[in-house]
Amino acid sequence: MTFNLRTISGSLILSLLVFCSSAQVKQVKLTKFGLQSSALVGNSGEELSSTQYHSTQHWYPVKVPSTVLTGLVASKVYPDPYQALNNMRIPDASDEFNKQYDLEKYSHLPGEPNPWKKPYWYRTTFAVPAGDKGKIFQLIFKGINYRAAVWVNGHQIAGRDQMAGMFAEYSLDITKQIKAGAENALAVEIYPLDYPGLPDTEQLKALGPFFLNGGPTGDIGKNVTMLCSVGWDWMPPVRDRNMGIWQPVFLRTTGAVTIGHPQLKTDLPNLPKNDVAKLSLNLMLNNHAEAAQNGKLKVSIAPENFSGATPITFEKNVSVGAVASTTVDLDANSIKQLTINAPHLWWPNNYGRANLYRIRLQYINASGVSDDTSFVFGIRTTTTSAVTTANGFVRRDFFVNGKKVHLVGGAWVPDMMVNRDSTRFDRELHLCRNANVNLVRIWGGGVTPPDAFFNAADKYGLMVWSDFWVTGDTQGEFKGSPDWPLESNVFVRNVVSTIYRIRNHPSLLVWTGGNEGHARKELFDAMRNNIIELDGTRPFIPSSSGYAKLTEGWKGSWPDDKPSGVYSGGPYEWHDPHDYYKLADAAKDWVFKDETGLPSQPPYTTMARIINDPAWDKSLPFPLNNTWGYHDACTGAGRYDKYYSQMVRRYGKPESEEDFANKMQLLNAIGYQGIFEAANHKLNETGGVMLWKLNAAFPSVIWQVYDWYLEPNAGYYFMQNACEQVHAQLNLNDSTVAVVNRTHNATGPLTVKTQIFDLNAKQLFTQTAKISLNDAGVKEQVKLSPTLKNTNGVSFVILNVKDASGKAVSHNAYWLAPDTDYTSLKNMPKAQLKLTVGKGEKVGSDKKYSMQITNNSNQVAFFVRPQLMSNGDEVMPSYWSANYFTLAPHESISVNVSAPLSKLGKKAFISLSGWNSVMQHMALLQ
């Protein structure tokens, strides 16, 4: 049987926001489906895709996109696996694992101990207007897992061999099967992974060991899927391995000629000047009709998020033969409108504005507009170079628009059950932008995210580093096998589809061949060659770890054929911040460190939501119980045990759950501050530093700067501070105050004020100095070691930078003790804070409030934390410009906060507290 299935060429598989203003062109999202197991529904696809089908069997309502388990949890068939130990009451996709943990008894299917072994059906009906008769209809699947077969109105459209792998899109021509003016029925048979993979031992003991990532054998790697769905050391196994329709389904209606795979390339030929941009456009026109089509391609380009540029429009006559395709290549040499003078460039966060344009493409023939689509793009270039350092390490540098960018950010992991929607993606990436990071790395054991992720990254100026789906734990570097995945053709189809889907995004900085390992040569070459052929606008590096050595004779990075020049390997456990300076000064793997991090206990605000069983197990340190183990309070690479013991040694045993959470924030703060400031002090000698990791796959207490509920921990704000454009810091390797300019602009004259206070706010040192930096770099200012070595107990170093007009540029603080004994902090004299809040202003879909916080006392106000509250709960997400800050006596700071209007109730207020200040509240003016 032959199916009309197009994934590589032909009909447009929409990868970006579609613009369909023409009545002739429509795109409808199909969302309301019924879900049921084929173990209970014995009908064929032909029968299920009939509008006359009626079942005596109950079908669960699901809103697609939805995995099978997501749908069943929504219908209360299974408990919420994100909470407590609920995941241990859901059977697994591995028979061996089910027997090991006696999970078979939880199966909801009678006589089926493993409810994920047989396919599931998704079924829906939809109406097509009579006026659409004679149109072309395409059924677009943005992503399924793991295989699918599709029927429409009793006819099979695609089979399980054609639709395979988690990362390919499919456009199915269903024109002949559609009934205009009537109801139509769609049935999708979703097959489980070919090989479910065996999870390793579950983390059922707090402070017990982490077990092997990807399972004991890594056999999940036999599939082209979300490899971490079998369990990793920051999320448990996903019981159904995320089988289902995990991305949207669209019905697209067009005329006879459709637009396929448009690619827009941008070039800046006069670099280092950015005065001219030259664009080129490539696309396919596909004629589905039996007769040749004569028409014109109309191209319009206009500003998307800025003003002041004149829109561009031009047309080109193009004919397409009967049931044929034509390639259209346009460039600035043939189309004068594709030369743009004084272009508005797309810049990464904190290097400039992320300016975006929108291009609209229409094919118009005698019948009117046949196809109409648009997408957002940015004018920018990306290049790279490999530098061999004095220690023999290769360092990878990246350049945007001809300027070197120092990469700061971290790895991004998928939601455990791939449940993020466009709103969630926007809010998470808004948090990343607000943290002053400029890069998000798509980790190779997860998923290449949906379009909404890349749209938000474009908007927020966040560069994206995109691994393909290879890890050292599954493809043979540590375990697994280079023979996996088993089906080369499935892997390559998914690679090609992904390149087509995301190549127009200005945020996409670099492709990599995987995480901490390499695929076999056949697949490695397929990735590298297809990137060169189908993209050709951004670099490729072999792996996200230079420790994973390429086999001799394999080609290296593209275009320079050099090693990756980036290094994982941690450290992943908590370290004293001085240690990061030693690593940076050694100039080995920290010339570009792309994985490092620490356990990251969330604040008290969300602790009860992450660990909703509060009973303390007295065989464990307070306030832990074994539920904490399931939520990642374990040993292994993260060493939560060391993290806890350091908290106790430095700050004393916790006296309450809130005291525990607050003391952990102190560790988070100096840990993340140390990572980024150590890299700062070698700004022009390193390519970047990246966290393992930024976000959470499920409620967790490890490796995150904000938690699953979107609550940042203190480390988030100390990273935000360290990565600001112009930053004052105390270099811990030699106690020197330095100013860091992370921009390519001159700072102008700056005034740097340095103060040292003891615990009782006695001033031990003060100095004001002038400084300026002409470009990106670091200038050391004053050595504090003579003063600090003579201090006893806890002292505070407070740094402030102002520009020539007196405007605050940077504020930073440290608490230091010769023996790292900070237990005397509990005896700090009380400070008095004054809060002044202005009236809120609407900024897009957010509400923004500006405020001034003043320390009205003669004491240091330590670790001051404002919170945005509504109806008694903290608003999440809240985007604060600063938090957990420390103020000298009688010092003021101006901060602002914004949050989604939909999250703010009528009784919103600011709560203000601190380590040594009394909590106060102030209602907000709406």
Side-chain angles (χ1 to χ4, degrees):
M1 184 178 291
T2 302
F3 304 111
N4 190 347
L5 175 71
R6 299 181 178 185
T7 60
I8 297 176
S9 63
S11 300
L12 174 63
I13 299 176
L14 300 171
S15 61
L16 301 172
L17 182 64
V18 175
F19 183 93
C20 296
S21 67
S22 309
Q24 299 96 321
V25 179
K26 293 182 288 188
Q27 183 161 294
V28 178
K29 189 175 181 180
L30 305 180
T31 60
K32 295 181 180 180
F33 283 74
L35 172 73
Q36 191 49 273
S37 170
S38 62
L40 298 181
V41 176
N43 304 85
S44 67
E46 180 179 353
E47 294 170 316
L48 292 173
S49 64
S50 167
T51 55
Q52 303 306 310
Y53 172 76
H54 295 286
S55 175
T56 56
Q57 180 69 45
H58 173 71
W59 286 64
Y60 299 104
V62 294
K63 185 177 180 180
V64 167
S66 170
T67 65
V68 172
L69 181 56
T70 294
L72 295 177
V73 169
S75 289
K76 310 297 184 184
V77 175
Y78 291 112
D80 181 353
Y82 295 94
Q83 300 301 317
L85 295 174
N86 285 348
N87 206 40
M88 296 305 298
R89 294 194 286 141
I90 305 173
D92 193 73
S94 164
D95 291 336
E96 180 180 345
F97 191 83
N98 283 334
K99 288 180 170 60
Q100 181 181 352
Y101 288 96
D102 192 26
L103 300 181
E104 295 174 335
K105 63 186 179 184
Y106 296 114
S107 175
H108 74 289
L109 296 178
E112 300 285 344
N114 183 341
W116 322 119
K117 259 192 166 180
K118 294 181 179 178
Y120 275 77
W121 287 102
Y122 287 72
R123 183 182 184 277
T124 191
T125 59
F126 55 93
V128 174
D132 287 344
K133 186 175 183 179
K135 297 292 185 182
I136 299 298
F137 298 93
Q138 297 169 84
L139 190 61
I140 299 169
F141 288 85
K142 300 290 283 182
I144 57 93
N145 191 35
Y146 184 67
R147 296 180 182 272
V150 178
W151 281 263
V152 174
N153 292 336
H155 300 274
Q156 188 169 4
I157 308 300
R160 65 190 302 273
D161 292 334
Q162 289 88 351
M163 296 181 69
M166 192 172 185
F167 310 110
E169 296 185 348
Y170 302 92
S171 178
L172 311 179
D173 189 338
I174 58 171
T175 303
K176 293 181 180 179
Q177 289 76 33
I178 284 293
K179 299 174 182 177
E183 281 289 302
N184 294 260
L186 166 65
V188 184
E189 188 176 21
I190 294 291
Y191 291 81
L193 272 61
D194 293 348
Y195 305 92
L198 174 64
D200 203 359
T201 309
E202 289 276 19
Q203 296 167 192
L204 297 176
K205 291 186 178 298
L207 305 187
F210 275 129
F211 296 96
L212 291 172
N213 292 333
T217 66
D219 58 344
I220 188 78
K222 294 178 180 179
N223 312 277
V224 182
T225 193
M226 176 175 153
L227 300 172
C228 63
S229 65
V230 78
W232 226 261
D233 55 5
W234 36 267
M235 63 167 264
V238 185
R239 296 307 185 203
D240 70 341
R241 306 295 188 268
N242 284 327
M243 68 180 293
I245 304 177
W246 76 284
Q247 282 304 294
V249 179
F250 295 101
L251 175 67
R252 185 168 173 81
T253 307
T254 66
V257 177
T258 58
I259 300 167
H261 299 313
Q263 182 182 24
L264 187 70
K265 296 182 180 181
T266 63
D267 185 33
L268 300 171
N270 296 339
L271 285 175
K273 293 193 298 182
N274 296 327
D275 55 339
V276 174
K278 291 185 178 291
L279 279 53
S280 60
L281 175 66
N282 173 276
L283 55 84
M284 296 283 293
L285 292 176
N286 308 293
N287 182 9
H288 301 259
E290 301 288 340
Q293 300 289 315
N294 298 313
K296 61 185 179 183
L297 177 68
K298 182 178 180 181
V299 180
S300 305
I301 298 174
E304 174 72 4
N305 65 349
F306 65 93
S307 58
T310 304
I312 297 166
T313 302
F314 63 88
E315 298 176 352
K316 182 176 178 60
N317 293 327
V318 185
S319 297
V320 191
V323 196
S325 298
T326 295
T327 299
V328 178
D329 282 300
L330 306 173
D331 60 30
N333 294 324
S334 58
I335 304 292
K336 66 179 182 179
Q337 290 91 338
L338 292 178
T339 296
I340 299 180
N341 294 312
H344 289 67
L345 302 187
W346 187 93
W347 287 99
N349 188 29
N350 279 344
Y351 284 99
R353 279 183 50 85
N355 292 304
L356 295 169
Y357 293 80
R358 179 176 292 277
I359 184 169
R360 182 179 181 185
L361 306 171
Q362 296 171 291
Y363 186 78
I364 304 169
N365 58 15
S367 300
V369 177
S370 181
D371 202 0
D372 185 346
T373 189
S374 80
F375 59 88
V376 167
F377 71 95
I379 297 177
R380 62 98 184 91
T381 63
T382 61
T383 54
T384 185
S385 67
V387 179
T388 302
T389 67
N391 283 336
F393 277 75
V394 175
R395 182 188 82 224
R396 178 68 51 184
D397 289 338
F398 291 93
F399 303 82
V400 174
N401 302 329
K403 297 283 190 178
K404 182 183 173 182
V405 289
H406 189 260
L407 304 188
V408 286
W412 174 279
V413 295
D415 181 79
M416 181 172 81
M417 291 162 62
V418 289
N419 277 335
R420 294 187 179 107
D421 59 13
S422 59
T423 299
R424 175 77 178 210
F425 281 122
D426 189 272
R427 289 174 178 172
E428 290 205 41
L429 292 185
H430 191 165
L431 277 169
C432 291
R433 194 272 301 271
N434 188 63
N436 284 326
V437 303
N438 58 33
L439 180 127
V440 177
R441 173 192 163 205
I442 304 306
W443 172 69
V447 304
T448 304
D451 302 335
F453 170 92
F454 287 94
N455 293 339
D458 294 342
K459 168 184 171 183
Y460 291 121
L462 295 170
M463 296 175 285
V464 178
W465 166 311
S466 190
D467 292 357
F468 281 108
W469 324 289
V470 172
T471 76
D473 291 287
T474 53
Q475 269 71 42
E477 188 78 15
F478 313 133
K479 55 182 168 62
S481 169
D483 294 331
W484 301 343
L486 294 175
E487 292 187 286
S488 299
N489 62 327
V490 172
F491 184 86
V492 174
R493 280 205 309 263
N494 280 247
V495 165
V496 169
S497 181
T498 297
I499 294 171
Y500 277 131
R501 179 170 70 88
I502 65 177
R503 65 183 178 178
N504 285 318
H505 286 279
S507 56
L508 182 60
L509 174 74
V510 59
W511 304 95
T512 89
N515 169 65
E516 296 181 331
H518 304 99
R520 59 184 177 273
K521 190 173 189 302
E522 171 195 8
L523 302 184
F524 179 85
D525 288 347
M527 287 185 282
R528 191 178 189 276
N529 294 339
N530 276 297
I531 286 165
I532 296 168
E533 179 182 350
L534 301 178
D535 182 359
T537 66
R538 50 181 60 84
F540 166 82
I541 61 175
S543 173
S544 282
S545 178
Y547 288 126
K549 299 299 182 184
L550 277 174
T551 303
E552 187 175 352
W554 290 27
K555 290 185 177 297
S557 301
W558 183 82
D560 59 25
D561 204 24
K562 298 288 181 65
S564 293
V566 299
Y567 305 91
S568 61
Y572 300 102
E573 63 194 72
W574 192 89
H575 274 263
D576 186 283
H578 292 79
D579 294 346
Y580 298 114
Y581 282 83
K582 295 174 185 176
L583 292 166
D585 289 341
K588 294 181 179 180
D589 56 340
W590 274 63
V591 296
F592 196 125
K593 173 53 63 173
D594 71 1
E595 278 193 16
T596 189
L598 57 139
S600 309
Q601 176 65 42
Y604 182 67
T605 313
T606 55
M607 198 169 93
R609 298 174 70 179
I610 293 171
I611 310 296
N612 52 19
D613 173 12
W616 174 32
D617 182 338
K618 294 188 178 180
S619 67
L620 293 166
F622 177 83
L624 307 186
N625 58 44
N626 284 327
T627 300
W628 287 73
Y630 208 74
H631 293 265
D632 304 325
C634 297
T635 56
R639 292 292 308 276
Y640 196 92
D641 54 338
K642 174 185 175 182
Y643 177 57
Y644 186 98
S645 65
Q646 282 292 322
M647 178 269 292
V648 172
R649 191 186 73 76
R650 290 166 183 256
Y651 300 106
K653 289 185 177 180
E655 299 175 359
S656 66
E657 289 183 352
E658 186 171 6
D659 185 48
F660 161 79
N662 289 342
K663 287 175 176 174
M664 285 302 204
Q665 299 317 304
L666 296 171
L667 287 189
N668 293 344
I670 62 173
Y672 285 104
Q673 182 184 56
I675 288 172
F676 287 97
E677 291 190 345
N680 273 351
H681 101 289
K682 293 288 185 180
L683 183 72
N684 290 333
E685 299 164 61
T686 58
V689 62
M690 294 155 57
L691 293 176
W692 182 259
K693 50 192 179 48
L694 292 169
N695 67 329
F698 96 130
S700 173
V701 297
I702 195 167
W703 297 323
Q704 58 197 356
V705 292
Y706 60 87
D707 66 24
W708 192 75
Y709 297 101
L710 307 186
E711 169 77 327
N713 62 63
Y716 171 98
Y717 293 104
F718 279 66
M719 174 179 69
Q720 176 195 62
N721 186 255
C723 296
E724 63 187 344
Q725 290 177 305
V726 177
H727 177 65
Q729 65 181 58
L730 177 66
N731 290 340
L732 296 181
N733 59 336
D734 60 3
S735 298
T736 300
V737 174
V739 175
V740 182
N741 181 11
R742 295 186 55 85
T743 77
H744 294 296
N745 304 315
T747 63
L750 301 173
T751 301
V752 184
K753 184 176 182 180
T754 303
Q755 297 171 282
I756 304 178
F757 299 90
D758 69 9
L759 193 67
N760 294 306
K762 178 183 178 182
Q763 186 165 277
L764 307 177
F765 178 90
T766 183
Q767 184 182 90
T768 301
K770 302 292 186 181
I771 195 172
S772 64
L773 292 89
N774 293 326
D775 202 342
V778 184
K779 274 193 178 180
E780 296 184 347
Q781 186 57 42
V782 57
K783 290 189 178 297
L784 299 185
S785 50
T787 302
L788 291 174
K789 71 181 181 181
N790 292 319
T791 59
N792 295 313
V794 176
S795 57
F796 299 94
V797 177
I798 299 179
L799 308 177
N800 283 286
V801 179
K802 293 184 178 181
D803 64 15
S805 69
K807 180 182 177 183
V809 172
S810 179
H811 173 86
N812 201 0
Y814 302 81
W815 51 103
L816 306 170
D819 55 0
T820 65
D821 179 357
Y822 301 101
T823 53
S824 59
L825 284 171
K826 67 181 180 181
N827 299 319
M828 279 189 75
K830 292 294 183 182
Q832 296 176 341
L833 300 175
K834 179 183 178 182
L835 172 64
T836 306
V837 184
K839 188 176 181 180
E841 60 175 314
K842 189 175 181 296
V843 181
S845 58
D846 292 349
K847 194 73 170 283
K848 182 178 180 180
Y849 296 91
S850 297
M851 64 199 73
Q852 185 176 69
I853 298 168
T854 301
N855 178 6
N856 266 350
S857 70
N858 293 324
Q859 303 299 324
V860 171
F862 180 51
F863 226 48
V864 177
R865 186 189 181 199
Q867 295 171 270
L868 177 61
M869 311 292 288
S870 181
N871 299 319
D873 293 319
E874 186 168 9
V875 176
M876 292 176 275
S878 295
Y879 311 110
W880 286 93
S881 62
N883 216 311
Y884 293 97
F885 42 81
T886 294
L887 299 176
H890 302 286
E891 183 179 14
S892 296
I893 188 171
S894 295
V895 299
N896 61 69
V897 64
S898 62
L901 274 165
S902 59
K903 291 281 186 176
L904 292 173
K906 293 182 178 179
K907 296 182 179 180
F909 62 93
I910 298 294
S911 173
L912 182 65
S913 61
W915 187 268
N916 62 325
S917 55
V918 177
M919 181 176 288
Q920 57 182 286
H921 306 296
M922 178 172 287
L924 293 174
L925 298 174
Q926 298 298 315

